[in-house]
Amino acid sequence: MTFRKYLVLAGVAAFSSAGDSLLARGMKDIGGISLHHPASLVLAILNPWVACGILLLLAFFAAYTSALSWADLTYVLPATSLGYVLVALVGKFAFHETISPARWLGIALITAGVGFVRQGRPYNS
């Protein structure tokens, strides 16, 4: 696999983690919204944190789509598990969330699975 393809997979993890984190930050500012009040949804999208999160999630979608064009889903999805680690670190250090040892263990197990997936070929022809 080329360096450019590794870069796309890293972009998938980074854009997803950053987008989710900014979206969470914005929604914490806004508070609870309801699907029964569409105006609150529109106002949520206008929050700068939410808007930036949405843009980064669009970048994630572009990178993810690109990766799926040259690799199997069963390779791409596990390879993006670095995003779980990044989101956990952002949650812990930026949002001061409490992360239980069981959750850390789960994140470690998911990430360890990447090693097994990495052994195979990214695309079955």
Side-chain angles (χ1 to χ4, degrees), residues 49-108:
W49 295 106
V50 172
C52 288
I54 290 170
L55 289 175
L56 286 171
L57 288 171
L58 286 171
F60 151 76
F61 187 70
Y64 191 64
T65 304
S66 173
L68 289 173
S69 73
W70 49 261
D72 290 336
L73 175 64
T74 54
Y75 183 85
V76 174
L77 191 59
T80 63
S81 69
L82 174 62
Y84 291 112
V85 176
L86 296 176
V87 166
L89 293 172
V90 168
K92 173 94 174 134
F93 296 110
F95 298 150
H96 308 290
E97 295 178 357
T98 301
I99 302 175
S100 70
R103 193 169 292 177
W104 281 118
L105 178 61
I107 292 167

Side-chain angles (χ1 to χ4, degrees), residues 1-93:
M1 205 160 64
T2 66
F3 176 73
R4 184 173 275 182
K5 290 181 179 180
Y6 280 116
L7 199 57
V8 169
L9 290 176
V12 169
F15 290 137
S16 172
S17 302
D20 287 338
S21 298
L22 291 178
L23 197 61
R25 168 69 165 82
M27 293 311 297
K28 286 183 191 308
D29 284 352
I30 293 168
I33 61 171
S34 171
L35 294 176
H36 294 33
H37 299 96
S40 65
L41 295 172
V42 173
L43 289 174
I45 293 170
L46 297 177
N47 177 288
W49 295 106
V50 172
C52 288
I54 290 170
L55 289 175
L56 286 171
L57 288 171
L58 286 171
F60 151 76
F61 187 70
Y64 191 64
T65 304
S66 173
L68 289 173
S69 73
W70 49 261
D72 290 336
L73 175 64
T74 54
Y75 183 85
V76 174
L77 191 59
T80 63
S81 69
L82 174 62
Y84 291 112
V85 176
L86 296 176
V87 166
L89 293 172
V90 168
K92 173 94 174 134
F93 296 110

